């Protein structure tokens, strides 16, 4: 893992301006795509073992500003894996029923069961990001959530759920270009929401909120990755490689049969 991508130690204050969203570790598009395809093939093998073994699960969390590339990354990184072993959850503005519970209630229901990869498109982190910036609840409420999130993720980790969290880091200029492209392209227009514009106006407030997330919720059992994401092909490589590296360390293997298979005869 190149140094620019290393996650700072738990508790260290990080500043997003120190992270270059254009970084590509010197790779060009073709080189990155070739590497990414290799990791994707390995991801498919590892996922097959995860599913067969059914003892552990993997949770992959995606957060980003609008047009940061969450949908694109999810589509690309997981397009080689068996869809039966993957569950994607998309967290929108909470419904009245969800708001009638604690903020982790809807999240916990979507956590992957053993054998599965769970993908979160947005997550419980919205409850210390948009909720904080828009003052949906007072500081006294969201302040306590960092510790609650760490404890929640520790519960999952100790229940054999590996957790990886990716922040797709784009520049404000790149966001403008992507939002404009959504307006210009009839096939992308459905993705445009006028509601994204007031969020863009609060860019600096979001960066501050994200920096607090990375300082307070970057644990050894659920680390954050700040992914340089202006170049989509590099973004996809970083994510796929990090997932493969994590899964290689999970002790995945095909289960041994609990019968003497050498003596089994299939009847004619
Ligand atoms: P999208 O993912 O672009 O379809 O938009 C989903 C919207 O739901 C975003 O504007 C999020 O900020 C918003 N959202 C997600 N979770 C929450 C939450 N817990 N509270 C308020 N808004 C949320
Ligand atoms: Mg959106």
């Amino acid at each position: 893992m190149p140094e620019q991508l290393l996650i700072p130690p738990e508790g260290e204050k990080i500043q997003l301006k120190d992270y270059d969203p254009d970084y590509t570790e010197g790779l060009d598009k073709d080189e990155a795509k070739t590497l990414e395809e290799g990791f994707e093939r390995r991801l498919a093998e590892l996922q097959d073992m995860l599913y067969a073994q059914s003892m552990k699960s993997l949770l992959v969390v995606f957060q980003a500003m609008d047009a940061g590339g969450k949908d694109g990354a999810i589509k690309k990184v997981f397009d080689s894996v068996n869809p039966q072993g993957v569950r994607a959850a998309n967290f929108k503005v909470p419904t009245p029923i969800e708001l009638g519970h604690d903020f982790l209630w809807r999240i916990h229901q979507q956590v992957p069961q053993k054998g599965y990869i769970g993908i979160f498109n947005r997550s419980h982190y919205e409850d210390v990001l948009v909720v904080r910036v828009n003052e949906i609840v007072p500081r006294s409420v969201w302040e306590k959530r960092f510790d609650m999130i760490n404890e929640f993720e520790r519960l999952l980790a100790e229940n054999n759920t590996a957790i990886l969290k990716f922040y797709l880091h784009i520049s404000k200029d790149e966001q403008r270009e992507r939002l404009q492209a959504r307006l210009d392209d009839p096939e992308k227009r459905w993705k445009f929401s006028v509601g994204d514009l007031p969020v863009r106006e609060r860019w600096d407030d979001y960066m501050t909120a994200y920096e607090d997330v990375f300082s307070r919720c970057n644990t050894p059992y659920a680390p954050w990755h700040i992914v340089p994401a202006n170049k989509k092909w590099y973004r996809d490589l970083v994510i796929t490689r990090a997932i493969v590296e994590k899964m290689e360390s999970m002790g995945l293997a095909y289960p041994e049969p609990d019968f003497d298979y050498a003596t089994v005869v299939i009847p004619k």
Side-chain angles (χ1 to χ4, degrees), residues 129-172:
L129 292 164
V130 62
V131 166
R132 167 182 177 171
V133 173
N134 286 350
E135 298 179 62
I136 296 171
V137 300
R139 174 180 274 269
S140 58
V141 172
W142 60 256
E143 263 282 338
K144 294 199 184 95
R145 290 181 173 170
F146 297 109
D147 290 340
M148 291 170 179
I149 288 172
N150 287 338
E151 281 307 296
F152 171 65
E153 292 178 353
R154 197 165 64 84
L155 164 74
L156 303 183
E158 292 196 7
N159 195 44
N160 277 337
T161 300
I163 305 168
L164 291 173
K165 300 180 297 201
F166 294 104
Y167 170 65
L168 310 184
H169 184 37
I170 58 164
S171 60
K172 199 174 175 190

mmCIF file of all heavy atoms in Angstrom, residues 129-172:
data_model
loop_
_atom_site.group_PDB
_atom_site.id
_atom_site.type_symbol
_atom_site.label_atom_id
_atom_site.label_comp_id
_atom_site.label_asym_id
_atom_site.label_seq_id
_atom_site.Cartn_x
_atom_site.Cartn_y
_atom_site.Cartn_z
ATOM 1 N N LEU A 129 -22.706 13.194 9.773
ATOM 2 C CA LEU A 129 -22.297 14.033 8.633
ATOM 3 C C LEU A 129 -23.440 14.975 8.265
ATOM 4 O O LEU A 129 -23.521 16.083 8.784
ATOM 5 C CB LEU A 129 -21.879 13.139 7.452
ATOM 6 C CG LEU A 129 -20.576 12.346 7.684
ATOM 7 C CD1 LEU A 129 -20.418 11.215 6.671
ATOM 8 C CD2 LEU A 129 -19.367 13.286 7.612
ATOM 9 N N VAL A 130 -24.382 14.484 7.417
ATOM 10 C CA VAL A 130 -25.492 15.367 7.013
ATOM 11 C C VAL A 130 -26.290 15.825 8.239
ATOM 12 O O VAL A 130 -26.719 16.980 8.324
ATOM 13 C CB VAL A 130 -26.396 14.673 5.964
ATOM 14 C CG1 VAL A 130 -27.042 13.416 6.491
ATOM 15 C CG2 VAL A 130 -27.471 15.623 5.447
ATOM 16 N N VAL A 131 -26.432 14.936 9.193
ATOM 17 C CA VAL A 131 -27.225 15.259 10.391
ATOM 18 C C VAL A 131 -26.554 16.378 11.195
ATOM 19 O O VAL A 131 -27.207 17.261 11.746
ATOM 20 C CB VAL A 131 -27.413 13.973 11.240
ATOM 21 C CG1 VAL A 131 -27.905 14.304 12.637
ATOM 22 C CG2 VAL A 131 -28.374 13.012 10.528
ATOM 23 N N ARG A 132 -25.237 16.343 11.213
ATOM 24 C CA ARG A 132 -24.470 17.387 11.912
ATOM 25 C C ARG A 132 -24.493 18.698 11.132
ATOM 26 O O ARG A 132 -24.804 19.759 11.676
ATOM 27 C CB ARG A 132 -23.024 16.905 12.083
ATOM 28 C CG ARG A 132 -22.072 17.993 12.506
ATOM 29 C CD ARG A 132 -20.664 17.456 12.595
ATOM 30 N NE ARG A 132 -19.718 18.510 12.931
ATOM 31 C CZ ARG A 132 -18.448 18.278 13.234
ATOM 32 N NH1 ARG A 132 -17.977 17.048 13.253
ATOM 33 N NH2 ARG A 132 -17.624 19.280 13.529
ATOM 34 N N VAL A 133 -24.175 18.616 9.827
ATOM 35 C CA VAL A 133 -24.064 19.845 9.033
ATOM 36 C C VAL A 133 -25.420 20.552 8.956
ATOM 37 O O VAL A 133 -25.496 21.780 9.039
ATOM 38 C CB VAL A 133 -23.509 19.528 7.622
ATOM 39 C CG1 VAL A 133 -23.556 20.751 6.731
ATOM 40 C CG2 VAL A 133 -22.072 19.004 7.727
ATOM 41 N N ASN A 134 -26.486 19.787 8.819
ATOM 42 C CA ASN A 134 -27.822 20.390 8.713
ATOM 43 C C ASN A 134 -28.480 20.618 10.069
ATOM 44 O O ASN A 134 -29.646 21.015 10.122
ATOM 45 C CB ASN A 134 -28.733 19.516 7.844
ATOM 46 C CG ASN A 134 -28.379 19.615 6.375
ATOM 47 O OD1 ASN A 134 -27.584 20.467 5.978
ATOM 48 N ND2 ASN A 134 -28.964 18.749 5.572
ATOM 49 N N GLU A 135 -27.764 20.322 11.125
ATOM 50 C CA GLU A 135 -28.280 20.521 12.489
ATOM 51 C C GLU A 135 -29.640 19.862 12.687
ATOM 52 O O GLU A 135 -30.564 20.463 13.232
ATOM 53 C CB GLU A 135 -28.326 22.016 12.837
ATOM 54 C CG GLU A 135 -26.946 22.661 12.811
ATOM 55 C CD GLU A 135 -26.963 24.151 13.133
ATOM 56 O OE1 GLU A 135 -27.369 24.497 14.253
ATOM 57 O OE2 GLU A 135 -26.602 24.942 12.226
ATOM 58 N N ILE A 136 -29.733 18.621 12.201
ATOM 59 C CA ILE A 136 -30.990 17.877 12.343
ATOM 60 C C ILE A 136 -31.182 17.458 13.805
ATOM 61 O O ILE A 136 -32.306 17.376 14.290
ATOM 62 C CB ILE A 136 -31.000 16.659 11.387
ATOM 63 C CG1 ILE A 136 -30.964 17.142 9.924
ATOM 64 C CG2 ILE A 136 -32.234 15.769 11.620
ATOM 65 C CD1 ILE A 136 -30.764 16.047 8.886
ATOM 66 N N VAL A 137 -30.081 17.200 14.473
ATOM 67 C CA VAL A 137 -30.124 16.993 15.935
ATOM 68 C C VAL A 137 -29.050 17.894 16.544
ATOM 69 O O VAL A 137 -28.106 18.294 15.851
ATOM 70 C CB VAL A 137 -29.859 15.509 16.336
ATOM 71 C CG1 VAL A 137 -30.882 14.570 15.726
ATOM 72 C CG2 VAL A 137 -28.439 15.075 15.971
ATOM 73 N N PRO A 138 -29.189 18.241 17.847
ATOM 74 C CA PRO A 138 -28.176 19.121 18.454
ATOM 75 C C PRO A 138 -26.831 18.416 18.629
ATOM 76 O O PRO A 138 -26.756 17.187 18.637
ATOM 77 C CB PRO A 138 -28.780 19.476 19.818
ATOM 78 C CG PRO A 138 -29.816 18.454 20.087
ATOM 79 C CD PRO A 138 -30.279 17.915 18.765
ATOM 80 N N ARG A 139 -25.780 19.214 18.784
ATOM 81 C CA ARG A 139 -24.425 18.686 18.973
ATOM 82 C C ARG A 139 -24.371 17.662 20.105
ATOM 83 O O ARG A 139 -23.690 16.638 19.988
ATOM 84 C CB ARG A 139 -23.473 19.847 19.290
ATOM 85 C CG ARG A 139 -22.049 19.402 19.653
ATOM 86 C CD ARG A 139 -21.140 20.595 19.971
ATOM 87 N NE ARG A 139 -20.545 21.158 18.780
ATOM 88 C CZ ARG A 139 -19.356 20.783 18.260
ATOM 89 N NH1 ARG A 139 -18.635 19.850 18.849
ATOM 90 N NH2 ARG A 139 -18.886 21.353 17.182
ATOM 91 N N SER A 140 -25.100 17.936 21.190
ATOM 92 C CA SER A 140 -25.061 17.022 22.343
ATOM 93 C C SER A 140 -25.497 15.611 21.952
ATOM 94 O O SER A 140 -25.083 14.633 22.578
ATOM 95 C CB SER A 140 -25.948 17.560 23.473
ATOM 96 O OG SER A 140 -27.276 17.713 22.996
ATOM 97 N N VAL A 141 -26.312 15.503 20.912
ATOM 98 C CA VAL A 141 -26.777 14.178 20.455
ATOM 99 C C VAL A 141 -25.757 13.548 19.507
ATOM 100 O O VAL A 141 -25.324 12.417 19.694
ATOM 101 C CB VAL A 141 -28.173 14.278 19.801
ATOM 102 C CG1 VAL A 141 -28.575 12.948 19.163
ATOM 103 C CG2 VAL A 141 -29.216 14.710 20.827
ATOM 104 N N TRP A 142 -25.332 14.270 18.465
ATOM 105 C CA TRP A 142 -24.421 13.627 17.489
ATOM 106 C C TRP A 142 -23.030 13.402 18.051
ATOM 107 O O TRP A 142 -22.347 12.464 17.659
ATOM 108 C CB TRP A 142 -24.401 14.324 16.132
ATOM 109 C CG TRP A 142 -23.986 15.765 16.056
ATOM 110 C CD1 TRP A 142 -24.804 16.845 15.881
ATOM 111 C CD2 TRP A 142 -22.645 16.294 16.114
ATOM 112 N NE1 TRP A 142 -24.068 18.003 15.848
ATOM 113 C CE2 TRP A 142 -22.746 17.692 15.981
ATOM 114 C CE3 TRP A 142 -21.389 15.731 16.279
ATOM 115 C CZ2 TRP A 142 -21.627 18.539 16.012
ATOM 116 C CZ3 TRP A 142 -20.268 16.559 16.305
ATOM 117 C CH2 TRP A 142 -20.405 17.948 16.175
ATOM 118 N N GLU A 143 -22.604 14.254 19.008
ATOM 119 C CA GLU A 143 -21.279 14.089 19.629
ATOM 120 C C GLU A 143 -21.093 12.692 20.213
ATOM 121 O O GLU A 143 -20.020 12.111 20.138
ATOM 122 C CB GLU A 143 -21.129 15.103 20.773
ATOM 123 C CG GLU A 143 -20.390 16.364 20.420
ATOM 124 C CD GLU A 143 -18.887 16.177 20.370
ATOM 125 O OE1 GLU A 143 -18.397 15.218 20.997
ATOM 126 O OE2 GLU A 143 -18.220 16.980 19.692
ATOM 127 N N LYS A 144 -22.143 12.178 20.815
ATOM 128 C CA LYS A 144 -22.048 10.871 21.486
ATOM 129 C C LYS A 144 -21.982 9.722 20.482
ATOM 130 O O LYS A 144 -21.620 8.609 20.836
ATOM 131 C CB LYS A 144 -23.273 10.654 22.379
ATOM 132 C CG LYS A 144 -23.383 11.603 23.556
ATOM 133 C CD LYS A 144 -24.338 10.990 24.603
ATOM 134 C CE LYS A 144 -24.575 11.922 25.775
ATOM 135 N NZ LYS A 144 -25.799 12.729 25.586
ATOM 136 N N ARG A 145 -22.320 10.007 19.243
ATOM 137 C CA ARG A 145 -22.456 8.918 18.264
ATOM 138 C C ARG A 145 -21.118 8.336 17.825
ATOM 139 O O ARG A 145 -21.072 7.178 17.420
ATOM 140 C CB ARG A 145 -23.260 9.401 17.046
ATOM 141 C CG ARG A 145 -24.711 9.625 17.405
ATOM 142 C CD ARG A 145 -25.540 10.068 16.222
ATOM 143 N NE ARG A 145 -26.957 10.105 16.589
ATOM 144 C CZ ARG A 145 -27.908 10.637 15.842
ATOM 145 N NH1 ARG A 145 -27.591 11.176 14.665
ATOM 146 N NH2 ARG A 145 -29.158 10.617 16.249
ATOM 147 N N PHE A 146 -20.042 9.121 17.900
ATOM 148 C CA PHE A 146 -18.736 8.564 17.485
ATOM 149 C C PHE A 146 -18.403 7.327 18.332
ATOM 150 O O PHE A 146 -18.008 6.285 17.812
ATOM 151 C CB PHE A 146 -17.630 9.618 17.619
ATOM 152 C CG PHE A 146 -17.812 10.829 16.740
ATOM 153 C CD1 PHE A 146 -18.145 12.066 17.279
ATOM 154 C CD2 PHE A 146 -17.650 10.725 15.365
ATOM 155 C CE1 PHE A 146 -18.302 13.181 16.469
ATOM 156 C CE2 PHE A 146 -17.797 11.836 14.541
ATOM 157 C CZ PHE A 146 -18.134 13.075 15.099
ATOM 158 N N ASP A 147 -18.553 7.470 19.637
ATOM 159 C CA ASP A 147 -18.258 6.330 20.526
ATOM 160 C C ASP A 147 -19.244 5.195 20.292
ATOM 161 O O ASP A 147 -18.875 4.022 20.331
ATOM 162 C CB ASP A 147 -18.322 6.765 21.996
ATOM 163 C CG ASP A 147 -17.165 7.690 22.367
ATOM 164 O OD1 ASP A 147 -16.153 7.685 21.628
ATOM 165 O OD2 ASP A 147 -17.270 8.412 23.373
ATOM 166 N N MET A 148 -20.493 5.544 20.078
ATOM 167 C CA MET A 148 -21.510 4.504 19.831
ATOM 168 C C MET A 148 -21.173 3.723 18.562
ATOM 169 O O MET A 148 -21.309 2.504 18.516
ATOM 170 C CB MET A 148 -22.898 5.141 19.701
ATOM 171 C CG MET A 148 -23.432 5.717 20.996
ATOM 172 S SD MET A 148 -24.926 6.682 20.684
ATOM 173 C CE MET A 148 -25.326 7.187 22.365
ATOM 174 N N ILE A 149 -20.734 4.438 17.543
ATOM 175 C CA ILE A 149 -20.368 3.788 16.280
ATOM 176 C C ILE A 149 -19.175 2.854 16.499
ATOM 177 O O ILE A 149 -19.161 1.717 16.019
ATOM 178 C CB ILE A 149 -20.063 4.851 15.195
ATOM 179 C CG1 ILE A 149 -21.359 5.526 14.731
ATOM 180 C CG2 ILE A 149 -19.307 4.231 14.016
ATOM 181 C CD1 ILE A 149 -21.172 6.717 13.796
ATOM 182 N N ASN A 150 -18.175 3.325 17.237
ATOM 183 C CA ASN A 150 -17.006 2.467 17.490
ATOM 184 C C ASN A 150 -17.414 1.198 18.235
ATOM 185 O O ASN A 150 -16.919 0.108 17.925
ATOM 186 C CB ASN A 150 -15.951 3.229 18.290
ATOM 187 C CG ASN A 150 -15.230 4.272 17.443
ATOM 188 O OD1 ASN A 150 -15.205 4.179 16.216
ATOM 189 N ND2 ASN A 150 -14.654 5.261 18.096
ATOM 190 N N GLU A 151 -18.291 1.345 19.194
ATOM 191 C CA GLU A 151 -18.732 0.164 19.956
ATOM 192 C C GLU A 151 -19.564 -0.771 19.069
ATOM 193 O O GLU A 151 -19.439 -1.993 19.139
ATOM 194 C CB GLU A 151 -19.552 0.593 21.177
ATOM 195 C CG GLU A 151 -18.698 1.060 22.326
ATOM 196 C CD GLU A 151 -17.627 0.028 22.707
ATOM 197 O OE1 GLU A 151 -17.988 -1.074 23.131
ATOM 198 O OE2 GLU A 151 -16.427 0.331 22.553
ATOM 199 N N PHE A 152 -20.410 -0.193 18.246
ATOM 200 C CA PHE A 152 -21.228 -0.987 17.321
ATOM 201 C C PHE A 152 -20.330 -1.775 16.360
ATOM 202 O O PHE A 152 -20.516 -2.980 16.156
ATOM 203 C CB PHE A 152 -22.159 -0.043 16.550
ATOM 204 C CG PHE A 152 -22.914 -0.683 15.419
ATOM 205 C CD1 PHE A 152 -23.857 -1.677 15.660
ATOM 206 C CD2 PHE A 152 -22.696 -0.287 14.100
ATOM 207 C CE1 PHE A 152 -24.555 -2.264 14.609
ATOM 208 C CE2 PHE A 152 -23.389 -0.859 13.051
ATOM 209 C CZ PHE A 152 -24.320 -1.851 13.308
ATOM 210 N N GLU A 153 -19.340 -1.097 15.815
ATOM 211 C CA GLU A 153 -18.451 -1.778 14.860
ATOM 212 C C GLU A 153 -17.603 -2.839 15.576
ATOM 213 O O GLU A 153 -17.292 -3.881 14.999
ATOM 214 C CB GLU A 153 -17.582 -0.749 14.126
ATOM 215 C CG GLU A 153 -18.437 0.130 13.188
ATOM 216 C CD GLU A 153 -17.664 1.217 12.465
ATOM 217 O OE1 GLU A 153 -16.463 1.408 12.762
ATOM 218 O OE2 GLU A 153 -18.268 1.895 11.596
ATOM 219 N N ARG A 154 -17.272 -2.586 16.833
ATOM 220 C CA ARG A 154 -16.514 -3.588 17.603
ATOM 221 C C ARG A 154 -17.370 -4.836 17.837
ATOM 222 O O ARG A 154 -16.892 -5.964 17.742
ATOM 223 C CB ARG A 154 -16.050 -2.993 18.938
ATOM 224 C CG ARG A 154 -14.942 -3.796 19.609
ATOM 225 C CD ARG A 154 -14.269 -2.974 20.707
ATOM 226 N NE ARG A 154 -15.206 -2.668 21.772
ATOM 227 C CZ ARG A 154 -15.478 -3.489 22.782
ATOM 228 N NH1 ARG A 154 -14.871 -4.641 22.871
ATOM 229 N NH2 ARG A 154 -16.354 -3.139 23.705
ATOM 230 N N LEU A 155 -18.638 -4.608 18.122
ATOM 231 C CA LEU A 155 -19.573 -5.735 18.269
ATOM 232 C C LEU A 155 -19.574 -6.584 16.992
ATOM 233 O O LEU A 155 -19.478 -7.812 17.045
ATOM 234 C CB LEU A 155 -20.983 -5.187 18.543
ATOM 235 C CG LEU A 155 -22.167 -6.131 18.366
ATOM 236 C CD1 LEU A 155 -22.229 -7.133 19.511
ATOM 237 C CD2 LEU A 155 -23.470 -5.361 18.269
ATOM 238 N N LEU A 156 -19.669 -5.910 15.847
ATOM 239 C CA LEU A 156 -19.683 -6.647 14.577
ATOM 240 C C LEU A 156 -18.355 -7.380 14.368
ATOM 241 O O LEU A 156 -18.340 -8.562 14.005
ATOM 242 C CB LEU A 156 -19.927 -5.694 13.402
ATOM 243 C CG LEU A 156 -21.209 -4.856 13.440
ATOM 244 C CD1 LEU A 156 -21.307 -4.025 12.170
ATOM 245 C CD2 LEU A 156 -22.440 -5.731 13.595
ATOM 246 N N ALA A 157 -17.256 -6.683 14.613
ATOM 247 C CA ALA A 157 -15.931 -7.282 14.379
ATOM 248 C C ALA A 157 -15.750 -8.522 15.258
ATOM 249 O O ALA A 157 -15.221 -9.539 14.806
ATOM 250 C CB ALA A 157 -14.833 -6.259 14.655
ATOM 251 N N GLU A 158 -16.211 -8.438 16.491
ATOM 252 C CA GLU A 158 -16.051 -9.586 17.394
ATOM 253 C C GLU A 158 -17.031 -10.706 17.058
ATOM 254 O O GLU A 158 -16.920 -11.815 17.564
ATOM 255 C CB GLU A 158 -16.180 -9.125 18.856
ATOM 256 C CG GLU A 158 -14.994 -8.251 19.217
ATOM 257 C CD GLU A 158 -14.783 -8.047 20.700
ATOM 258 O OE1 GLU A 158 -15.479 -8.694 21.506
ATOM 259 O OE2 GLU A 158 -13.912 -7.225 21.037
ATOM 260 N N ASN A 159 -17.976 -10.392 16.217
ATOM 261 C CA ASN A 159 -18.894 -11.431 15.722
ATOM 262 C C ASN A 159 -18.465 -11.906 14.324
ATOM 263 O O ASN A 159 -19.284 -12.375 13.540
ATOM 264 C CB ASN A 159 -20.321 -10.877 15.704
ATOM 265 C CG ASN A 159 -21.355 -11.972 15.552
ATOM 266 O OD1 ASN A 159 -21.276 -13.009 16.188
ATOM 267 N ND2 ASN A 159 -22.318 -11.757 14.664
ATOM 268 N N ASN A 160 -17.168 -11.754 14.036
ATOM 269 C CA ASN A 160 -16.593 -12.286 12.788
ATOM 270 C C ASN A 160 -17.008 -11.536 11.525
ATOM 271 O O ASN A 160 -17.033 -12.116 10.443
ATOM 272 C CB ASN A 160 -16.903 -13.776 12.611
ATOM 273 C CG ASN A 160 -15.928 -14.642 13.373
ATOM 274 O OD1 ASN A 160 -14.824 -14.200 13.674
ATOM 275 N ND2 ASN A 160 -16.334 -15.860 13.689
ATOM 276 N N THR A 161 -17.338 -10.266 11.674
ATOM 277 C CA THR A 161 -17.578 -9.428 10.500
ATOM 278 C C THR A 161 -16.366 -8.514 10.309
ATOM 279 O O THR A 161 -16.097 -7.664 11.157
ATOM 280 C CB THR A 161 -18.852 -8.579 10.680
ATOM 281 O OG1 THR A 161 -19.964 -9.456 10.857
ATOM 282 C CG2 THR A 161 -19.100 -7.682 9.482
ATOM 283 N N ALA A 162 -15.639 -8.729 9.228
ATOM 284 C CA ALA A 162 -14.543 -7.816 8.902
ATOM 285 C C ALA A 162 -15.155 -6.542 8.312
ATOM 286 O O ALA A 162 -16.162 -6.604 7.596
ATOM 287 C CB ALA A 162 -13.595 -8.472 7.905
ATOM 288 N N ILE A 163 -14.560 -5.403 8.625
ATOM 289 C CA ILE A 163 -15.143 -4.125 8.193
ATOM 290 C C ILE A 163 -14.078 -3.284 7.485
ATOM 291 O O ILE A 163 -12.969 -3.104 7.999
ATOM 292 C CB ILE A 163 -15.685 -3.325 9.403
ATOM 293 C CG1 ILE A 163 -16.671 -4.168 10.212
ATOM 294 C CG2 ILE A 163 -16.336 -2.020 8.944
ATOM 295 C CD1 ILE A 163 -17.023 -3.569 11.572
ATOM 296 N N LEU A 164 -14.435 -2.778 6.316
ATOM 297 C CA LEU A 164 -13.590 -1.831 5.583
ATOM 298 C C LEU A 164 -14.449 -0.618 5.242
ATOM 299 O O LEU A 164 -15.591 -0.767 4.793
ATOM 300 C CB LEU A 164 -13.077 -2.450 4.281
ATOM 301 C CG LEU A 164 -12.054 -3.580 4.402
ATOM 302 C CD1 LEU A 164 -11.787 -4.173 3.019
ATOM 303 C CD2 LEU A 164 -10.761 -3.070 5.017
ATOM 304 N N LYS A 165 -13.881 0.560 5.431
ATOM 305 C CA LYS A 165 -14.649 1.777 5.168
ATOM 306 C C LYS A 165 -13.871 2.628 4.162
ATOM 307 O O LYS A 165 -12.679 2.888 4.353
ATOM 308 C CB LYS A 165 -14.859 2.535 6.481
ATOM 309 C CG LYS A 165 -15.623 1.670 7.500
ATOM 310 C CD LYS A 165 -15.858 2.356 8.830
ATOM 311 C CE LYS A 165 -14.612 2.697 9.576
ATOM 312 N NZ LYS A 165 -14.844 2.893 11.044
ATOM 313 N N PHE A 166 -14.549 3.032 3.106
ATOM 314 C CA PHE A 166 -13.906 3.797 2.036
ATOM 315 C C PHE A 166 -14.558 5.164 1.907
ATOM 316 O O PHE A 166 -15.777 5.262 1.700
ATOM 317 C CB PHE A 166 -14.033 3.060 0.701
ATOM 318 C CG PHE A 166 -13.279 1.751 0.671
ATOM 319 C CD1 PHE A 166 -13.951 0.543 0.779
ATOM 320 C CD2 PHE A 166 -11.894 1.739 0.543
ATOM 321 C CE1 PHE A 166 -13.251 -0.661 0.757
ATOM 322 C CE2 PHE A 166 -11.187 0.544 0.525
ATOM 323 C CZ PHE A 166 -11.871 -0.663 0.630
ATOM 324 N N TYR A 167 -13.730 6.198 1.996
ATOM 325 C CA TYR A 167 -14.183 7.542 1.649
ATOM 326 C C TYR A 167 -13.627 7.857 0.267
ATOM 327 O O TYR A 167 -12.411 7.845 0.063
ATOM 328 C CB TYR A 167 -13.678 8.575 2.664
ATOM 329 C CG TYR A 167 -13.929 9.990 2.195
ATOM 330 C CD1 TYR A 167 -15.237 10.466 2.049
ATOM 331 C CD2 TYR A 167 -12.881 10.835 1.856
ATOM 332 C CE1 TYR A 167 -15.472 11.752 1.582
ATOM 333 C CE2 TYR A 167 -13.114 12.124 1.387
ATOM 334 C CZ TYR A 167 -14.409 12.570 1.257
ATOM 335 O OH TYR A 167 -14.650 13.837 0.790
ATOM 336 N N LEU A 168 -14.503 8.107 -0.681
ATOM 337 C CA LEU A 168 -14.078 8.411 -2.046
ATOM 338 C C LEU A 168 -13.824 9.918 -2.121
ATOM 339 O O LEU A 168 -14.762 10.721 -2.076
ATOM 340 C CB LEU A 168 -15.140 7.964 -3.049
ATOM 341 C CG LEU A 168 -15.639 6.520 -2.854
ATOM 342 C CD1 LEU A 168 -16.607 6.151 -3.965
ATOM 343 C CD2 LEU A 168 -14.480 5.532 -2.783
ATOM 344 N N HIS A 169 -12.550 10.240 -2.219
ATOM 345 C CA HIS A 169 -12.111 11.628 -2.079
ATOM 346 C C HIS A 169 -11.994 12.296 -3.450
ATOM 347 O O HIS A 169 -11.083 11.985 -4.217
ATOM 348 C CB HIS A 169 -10.743 11.593 -1.377
ATOM 349 C CG HIS A 169 -10.161 12.921 -1.055
ATOM 350 N ND1 HIS A 169 -10.910 14.001 -0.644
ATOM 351 C CD2 HIS A 169 -8.864 13.352 -1.060
ATOM 352 C CE1 HIS A 169 -10.115 15.033 -0.435
ATOM 353 N NE2 HIS A 169 -8.872 14.665 -0.679
ATOM 354 N N ILE A 170 -12.943 13.183 -3.761
ATOM 355 C CA ILE A 170 -12.857 13.971 -4.997
ATOM 356 C C ILE A 170 -12.676 15.440 -4.623
ATOM 357 O O ILE A 170 -12.988 15.857 -3.505
ATOM 358 C CB ILE A 170 -14.111 13.822 -5.903
ATOM 359 C CG1 ILE A 170 -15.396 14.229 -5.163
ATOM 360 C CG2 ILE A 170 -14.224 12.412 -6.468
ATOM 361 C CD1 ILE A 170 -16.589 14.481 -6.080
ATOM 362 N N SER A 171 -12.165 16.208 -5.583
ATOM 363 C CA SER A 171 -12.012 17.650 -5.351
ATOM 364 C C SER A 171 -13.337 18.347 -5.654
ATOM 365 O O SER A 171 -14.216 17.799 -6.330
ATOM 366 C CB SER A 171 -10.907 18.211 -6.253
ATOM 367 O OG SER A 171 -11.258 17.993 -7.610
ATOM 368 N N LYS A 172 -13.441 19.573 -5.169
ATOM 369 C CA LYS A 172 -14.668 20.334 -5.403
ATOM 370 C C LYS A 172 -14.840 20.629 -6.896
ATOM 371 O O LYS A 172 -15.960 20.630 -7.412
ATOM 372 C CB LYS A 172 -14.612 21.631 -4.576
ATOM 373 C CG LYS A 172 -15.963 22.262 -4.366
ATOM 374 C CD LYS A 172 -15.923 23.455 -3.435
ATOM 375 C CE LYS A 172 -17.305 24.098 -3.394
ATOM 376 N NZ LYS A 172 -17.297 25.392 -2.708
#
